[in-house]
């Protein structure tokens, strides 16, 4: 009788595994920062890599390696190896980003230890707001986990989020950069706490860029 119960339990667990129970994801920043990490992204992928992300805090601007490491485990705590890279991607918790095809997928399938990395560049439009409680989150096979989130913020010159940088974005940029005297982090592309020529140069360099 006991043997039958054990077999049933094993059978149920096997069926669950084959039914697509999502792996349990973990997400970590390679270099932790006390301040939010900002990454300048352009829909065609010509933005920055996470190895050259920016941090601004306490009056100091830094360029940091913010490569992300993700690890996947199954329900038994065993690393999930060789999980396909196209099923591991990043999103804004507040859905503030629009994606080009494969825009934020992992660098590679998970390795034998269940690990993969994200190093960018990311092919996205829209933009995240660090002041609104947003975060970057890991998505695995369509599933998310509240523990797999980091304070990394993707800013883009595609301000209207239609996957290209054109005249409508110029109008939006001028409003934020020029017409309104307030500071707008959305266009602080050279992330140093002020809006000046450096940010204009970044925006101008991205004009007419679009998803591949
Ligand atoms: Ca646009
Ligand atoms: Ca700036």
């Amino acid at each position: 009788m006991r043997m039958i119960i054990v077999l049933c339990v094993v059978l149920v667990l096997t069926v669950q595994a084959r039914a697509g129970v999502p792996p349990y994801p973990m997400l970590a920043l390679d270099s932790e920062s006390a301040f939010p990490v900002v990454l300048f992204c352009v829909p065609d992928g010509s933005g920055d890599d996470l190895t050259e992300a920016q941090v601004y805090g306490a009056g100091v601007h830094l360029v940091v390696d913010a490569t992300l490491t993700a690890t996947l485990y199954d329900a038994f705590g065993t690393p999930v190896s060789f999980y396909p890279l196209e099923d591991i991607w990043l999103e804004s918790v507040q859905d503030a980003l629009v994606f080009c095809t494969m825009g934020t997928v992992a660098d590679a399938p998970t390795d034998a230890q269940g690990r993969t990395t994200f190093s960018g560049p990311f092919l996205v439009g829209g933009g995240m707001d660090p002041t609104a409680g947003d975060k970057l989150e890991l998505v695995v096979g369509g599933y998310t986990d509240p523990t797999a989130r980091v304070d990394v913020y993707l800013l883009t010159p595609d301000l209207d989020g239609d996957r290209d940088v054109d005249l409508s974005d110029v109008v939006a940029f001028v409003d934020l950069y020029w017409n309104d005297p307030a500071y707008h982090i959305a266009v602080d592309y050279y992330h140093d706490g002020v809006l000046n020529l450096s940010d204009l140069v970044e925006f101008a360099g991205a004009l007419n860029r679009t998803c591949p």
Side-chain angles (χ1 to χ4, degrees), residues 183 187-196 198-199:
Y183 167 76
V187 293
D188 189 7
Y189 302 127
Y190 181 82
H191 190 60
D192 58 355
V194 294
L195 303 183
N196 58 24
S198 304
D199 306 298

PDB file of all heavy atoms in Angstrom, residues 183 187-196 198-199, ligand 2:
ATOM      1  N   TYR A 183      12.907  69.487 -13.822  1.00  0.00           N
ATOM      2  CA  TYR A 183      13.785  68.370 -14.213  1.00  0.00           C
ATOM      3  C   TYR A 183      12.945  67.141 -14.549  1.00  0.00           C
ATOM      4  O   TYR A 183      12.051  66.760 -13.784  1.00  0.00           O
ATOM      5  CB  TYR A 183      14.737  68.046 -13.065  1.00  0.00           C
ATOM      6  CG  TYR A 183      15.476  66.742 -13.216  1.00  0.00           C
ATOM      7  CD1 TYR A 183      16.549  66.632 -14.094  1.00  0.00           C
ATOM      8  CD2 TYR A 183      15.100  65.617 -12.477  1.00  0.00           C
ATOM      9  CE1 TYR A 183      17.240  65.432 -14.226  1.00  0.00           C
ATOM     10  CE2 TYR A 183      15.783  64.421 -12.602  1.00  0.00           C
ATOM     11  CZ  TYR A 183      16.854  64.337 -13.482  1.00  0.00           C
ATOM     12  OH  TYR A 183      17.524  63.144 -13.615  1.00  0.00           O
ATOM     13  N   VAL A 187      14.337  62.263 -19.772  1.00  0.00           N
ATOM     14  CA  VAL A 187      15.253  62.708 -20.827  1.00  0.00           C
ATOM     15  C   VAL A 187      16.651  63.004 -20.271  1.00  0.00           C
ATOM     16  O   VAL A 187      17.466  63.617 -20.951  1.00  0.00           O
ATOM     17  CB  VAL A 187      14.685  63.928 -21.593  1.00  0.00           C
ATOM     18  CG1 VAL A 187      13.455  63.515 -22.389  1.00  0.00           C
ATOM     19  CG2 VAL A 187      14.349  65.081 -20.656  1.00  0.00           C
ATOM     20  N   ASP A 188      16.919  62.547 -19.055  1.00  0.00           N
ATOM     21  CA  ASP A 188      18.266  62.686 -18.493  1.00  0.00           C
ATOM     22  C   ASP A 188      19.088  61.491 -18.958  1.00  0.00           C
ATOM     23  O   ASP A 188      19.495  60.636 -18.175  1.00  0.00           O
ATOM     24  CB  ASP A 188      18.193  62.757 -16.959  1.00  0.00           C
ATOM     25  CG  ASP A 188      19.534  63.127 -16.341  1.00  0.00           C
ATOM     26  OD1 ASP A 188      20.469  63.461 -17.109  1.00  0.00           O
ATOM     27  OD2 ASP A 188      19.643  63.069 -15.108  1.00  0.00           O
ATOM     28  N   TYR A 189      19.334  61.448 -20.273  1.00  0.00           N
ATOM     29  CA  TYR A 189      19.989  60.283 -20.887  1.00  0.00           C
ATOM     30  C   TYR A 189      21.441  60.165 -20.442  1.00  0.00           C
ATOM     31  O   TYR A 189      21.932  59.072 -20.206  1.00  0.00           O
ATOM     32  CB  TYR A 189      19.908  60.376 -22.413  1.00  0.00           C
ATOM     33  CG  TYR A 189      18.501  60.467 -22.939  1.00  0.00           C
ATOM     34  CD1 TYR A 189      18.119  61.490 -23.798  1.00  0.00           C
ATOM     35  CD2 TYR A 189      17.544  59.517 -22.582  1.00  0.00           C
ATOM     36  CE1 TYR A 189      16.833  61.580 -24.294  1.00  0.00           C
ATOM     37  CE2 TYR A 189      16.250  59.592 -23.070  1.00  0.00           C
ATOM     38  CZ  TYR A 189      15.901  60.633 -23.923  1.00  0.00           C
ATOM     39  OH  TYR A 189      14.621  60.712 -24.410  1.00  0.00           O
ATOM     40  N   TYR A 190      22.153  61.301 -20.406  1.00  0.00           N
ATOM     41  CA  TYR A 190      23.457  61.305 -19.738  1.00  0.00           C
ATOM     42  C   TYR A 190      23.114  61.587 -18.280  1.00  0.00           C
ATOM     43  O   TYR A 190      22.888  62.724 -17.886  1.00  0.00           O
ATOM     44  CB  TYR A 190      24.394  62.379 -20.312  1.00  0.00           C
ATOM     45  CG  TYR A 190      25.742  62.366 -19.642  1.00  0.00           C
ATOM     46  CD1 TYR A 190      26.724  61.459 -20.042  1.00  0.00           C
ATOM     47  CD2 TYR A 190      26.025  63.216 -18.582  1.00  0.00           C
ATOM     48  CE1 TYR A 190      27.954  61.420 -19.395  1.00  0.00           C
ATOM     49  CE2 TYR A 190      27.245  63.180 -17.939  1.00  0.00           C
ATOM     50  CZ  TYR A 190      28.198  62.285 -18.349  1.00  0.00           C
ATOM     51  OH  TYR A 190      29.416  62.244 -17.714  1.00  0.00           O
ATOM     52  N   HIS A 191      23.039  60.538 -17.481  1.00  0.00           N
ATOM     53  CA  HIS A 191      22.296  60.557 -16.223  1.00  0.00           C
ATOM     54  C   HIS A 191      23.097  61.201 -15.097  1.00  0.00           C
ATOM     55  O   HIS A 191      23.715  60.514 -14.277  1.00  0.00           O
ATOM     56  CB  HIS A 191      21.900  59.124 -15.866  1.00  0.00           C
ATOM     57  CG  HIS A 191      20.952  59.037 -14.735  1.00  0.00           C
ATOM     58  ND1 HIS A 191      19.707  59.621 -14.769  1.00  0.00           N
ATOM     59  CD2 HIS A 191      21.052  58.467 -13.515  1.00  0.00           C
ATOM     60  CE1 HIS A 191      19.094  59.404 -13.627  1.00  0.00           C
ATOM     61  NE2 HIS A 191      19.887  58.713 -12.848  1.00  0.00           N
ATOM     62  N   ASP A 192      23.064  62.560 -15.080  1.00  0.00           N
ATOM     63  CA  ASP A 192      23.856  63.285 -14.090  1.00  0.00           C
ATOM     64  C   ASP A 192      23.019  64.286 -13.296  1.00  0.00           C
ATOM     65  O   ASP A 192      23.556  65.214 -12.690  1.00  0.00           O
ATOM     66  CB  ASP A 192      25.017  64.011 -14.768  1.00  0.00           C
ATOM     67  CG  ASP A 192      24.527  64.980 -15.841  1.00  0.00           C
ATOM     68  OD1 ASP A 192      23.305  65.014 -16.110  1.00  0.00           O
ATOM     69  OD2 ASP A 192      25.373  65.687 -16.420  1.00  0.00           O
ATOM     70  N   GLY A 193      21.692  64.096 -13.309  1.00  0.00           N
ATOM     71  CA  GLY A 193      20.839  64.917 -12.451  1.00  0.00           C
ATOM     72  C   GLY A 193      20.479  66.280 -13.007  1.00  0.00           C
ATOM     73  O   GLY A 193      19.751  67.026 -12.359  1.00  0.00           O
ATOM     74  N   VAL A 194      20.990  66.612 -14.196  1.00  0.00           N
ATOM     75  CA  VAL A 194      20.628  67.882 -14.848  1.00  0.00           C
ATOM     76  C   VAL A 194      20.361  67.618 -16.324  1.00  0.00           C
ATOM     77  O   VAL A 194      20.829  66.631 -16.895  1.00  0.00           O
ATOM     78  CB  VAL A 194      21.749  68.949 -14.723  1.00  0.00           C
ATOM     79  CG1 VAL A 194      21.934  69.364 -13.282  1.00  0.00           C
ATOM     80  CG2 VAL A 194      23.056  68.443 -15.320  1.00  0.00           C
ATOM     81  N   LEU A 195      19.591  68.510 -16.939  1.00  0.00           N
ATOM     82  CA  LEU A 195      19.328  68.413 -18.377  1.00  0.00           C
ATOM     83  C   LEU A 195      20.156  69.485 -19.073  1.00  0.00           C
ATOM     84  O   LEU A 195      19.985  70.675 -18.818  1.00  0.00           O
ATOM     85  CB  LEU A 195      17.833  68.616 -18.663  1.00  0.00           C
ATOM     86  CG  LEU A 195      16.893  67.654 -17.933  1.00  0.00           C
ATOM     87  CD1 LEU A 195      15.449  67.907 -18.352  1.00  0.00           C
ATOM     88  CD2 LEU A 195      17.274  66.200 -18.179  1.00  0.00           C
ATOM     89  N   ASN A 196      21.063  69.017 -19.928  1.00  0.00           N
ATOM     90  CA  ASN A 196      21.907  69.977 -20.644  1.00  0.00           C
ATOM     91  C   ASN A 196      22.317  69.386 -21.998  1.00  0.00           C
ATOM     92  O   ASN A 196      21.712  68.418 -22.476  1.00  0.00           O
ATOM     93  CB  ASN A 196      23.109  70.398 -19.790  1.00  0.00           C
ATOM     94  CG  ASN A 196      23.962  69.212 -19.390  1.00  0.00           C
ATOM     95  OD1 ASN A 196      23.949  68.180 -20.056  1.00  0.00           O
ATOM     96  ND2 ASN A 196      24.686  69.358 -18.303  1.00  0.00           N
ATOM     97  N   SER A 198      24.581  67.468 -23.046  1.00  0.00           N
ATOM     98  CA  SER A 198      24.914  66.035 -23.120  1.00  0.00           C
ATOM     99  C   SER A 198      23.672  65.198 -23.427  1.00  0.00           C
ATOM    100  O   SER A 198      23.736  64.217 -24.173  1.00  0.00           O
ATOM    101  CB  SER A 198      25.516  65.563 -21.798  1.00  0.00           C
ATOM    102  OG  SER A 198      26.625  66.336 -21.464  1.00  0.00           O
ATOM    103  N   ASP A 199      22.550  65.583 -22.841  1.00  0.00           N
ATOM    104  CA  ASP A 199      21.307  64.834 -23.072  1.00  0.00           C
ATOM    105  C   ASP A 199      20.773  65.088 -24.481  1.00  0.00           C
ATOM    106  O   ASP A 199      20.273  64.170 -25.143  1.00  0.00           O
ATOM    107  CB  ASP A 199      20.267  65.240 -22.017  1.00  0.00           C
ATOM    108  CG  ASP A 199      20.821  65.085 -20.612  1.00  0.00           C
ATOM    109  OD1 ASP A 199      21.148  63.946 -20.240  1.00  0.00           O
ATOM    110  OD2 ASP A 199      20.953  66.109 -19.921  1.00  0.00           O
TER     111      ASP A 199
HETATM  112 CA1  LIG B   2      21.917  64.878 -18.003  1.00  0.00          CA
END
